[in-house]
Amino acid sequence: MASKQLRLLGLHATIFANRSRAGVEFSVPVGGLRRASHDHGQLVPTSPLPAIVDEPLDEAGRALARRVGELSWYHTIDLGHGVATPGFYDHRPILDHYQLPLRLDGLRVLDVACFDGFWSFEFERRGAAEVVALDIATARELDLPYGRRDRMSEAELERRFGAGFAVAHEVLGSRVKHVHCNLYDLTPELLGQFDLVHLGDVLLHLRDPARALHNLRRVTRGRALISDCIYPDLDRHGDLPLMQYDGGRGDNIWWRFGAQALQRMIGDAGFERVTEAARFRYGPRGQPASMWHAVFDARP
């Protein structure tokens, strides 16, 4: 890695309940998937959940379900044999909002901060010629608040990510290429350029989202799909592109974006045509869709 100072997140999700603010917030816990049991970001770790299964299962399905149940999952991924991962989020019902082509034949695709790989495997399923899945390797690379990082032990900092991706990759017989790299270090010299680049729910976790978007633009030769959480209240002040600094509150929620600010930031990174392709509410699997989400289509 070229830089050891600024690191991209691995998308381990956390819900925060906070009575002082409306809505649901998302963050990146240090020790794996967690859920809030108290207000103001007090968290407790959860143990892995059972696999989602369609009964009855054959012997292969039962073995796969046991294997899946040993891990915590962010993404809900259908692995076949009647088994799906018990991901914190299920993106399958909202796929249409992203306006992906049904086929990606011949395209080179980059999935940034892939985590368990739902999007990477979806791009492959749609026929992409090559899919590169980008992510960090350990919690040391998270863009954490300085004080939070200083309080972490070496064991916490060295906690590894990617176990879920490895299992899904093997079970699906995937050809997706998993690359250890953070977004701050991403360059065309390192990986070349891509026809389609995907960046989802990453920017609010980054200390420097403008730098991240600039790097994303440099490797985009066709189209980038950039999605993130937005707060429509920030857009109720005319044309002011507002965003709220949250200072790494919790583990690493740095920003609340107004849609205007996020669209402006994408354009300032060097994308010439930026349109809001979709806006919708969603939430963790099995819970109310309480958070606004925007998808931007960005072209060089």
Side-chain angles (χ1 to χ4, degrees), residues 26-43:
F26 299 83
S27 185
V28 176
V30 173
L33 185 63
R34 300 179 181 180
R35 295 182 182 175
S37 61
H38 304 89
D39 285 0
H40 307 292
Q42 298 180 39
L43 307 176

Side-chain angles (χ1 to χ4, degrees), residues 58-103:
D58 58 18
E59 183 177 348
R62 290 192 295 272
L64 179 57
R66 288 192 295 270
R67 190 176 181 190
V68 165
E70 294 173 352
L71 302 175
S72 293
W73 296 83
Y74 178 77
H75 287 138
T76 303
I77 304 171
D78 187 346
L79 297 180
H81 301 283
V83 176
T85 64
F88 202 53
Y89 289 101
D90 188 350
H91 291 84
R92 296 173 297 177
I94 61 173
L95 260 176
D96 288 347
H97 290 301
Y98 291 80
Q99 301 181 24
L100 286 171
L102 290 177
R103 299 297 303 173

Side-chain angles (χ1 to χ4, degrees), residues 8 41 80 117-118 135 174 198 204 211 226 268:
L8 176 66
F118 170 83
D135 215 342
S174 174
H198 172 257
L204 79 165
R211 176 183 170 188
I226 301 166
D268 288 343

Side-chain angles (χ1 to χ4, degrees), residues 116-233:
D116 294 329
F118 170 83
W119 292 101
S120 301
F121 302 132
E122 180 64 25
F123 298 142
E124 182 178 50
R125 188 183 70 82
R126 293 183 184 227
E130 180 185 7
V131 179
V132 176
L134 201 72
D135 215 342
I136 60 169
T138 69
R140 189 181 296 277
E141 300 171 81
L142 295 169
D143 229 352
L144 293 166
Y146 297 110
R148 178 71 181 91
R149 181 181 298 277
D150 291 343
R151 293 190 298 271
M152 290 172 64
S153 68
E154 280 298 309
E156 288 177 313
L157 289 169
E158 288 303 316
R159 182 180 177 86
R160 297 193 65 81
F161 304 137
F165 182 95
V167 169
H169 189 274
E170 175 192 335
V171 172
L172 293 172
S174 174
R175 295 183 296 107
V176 170
K177 182 180 180 181
H178 193 269
V179 174
H180 173 205
C181 176
N182 69 74
L183 184 47
Y184 292 136
D185 292 335
L186 179 62
T187 65
E189 290 77 19
L190 181 67
L191 292 176
Q193 291 190 311
F194 296 83
D195 304 298
L196 176 64
V197 176
H198 172 257
L199 180 75
D201 297 312
V202 174
L203 297 172
L204 79 165
H205 296 295
L206 298 182
R207 207 177 288 121
D208 191 350
R211 176 183 170 188
L213 285 167
H214 175 66
N215 286 355
L216 201 76
R217 164 62 187 92
R218 294 181 66 206
V219 299
T220 303
R221 67 185 176 205
R223 173 191 185 196
L225 278 180
I226 301 166
S227 60
D228 223 304
C229 307
I230 60 163
Y231 294 84
D233 283 351

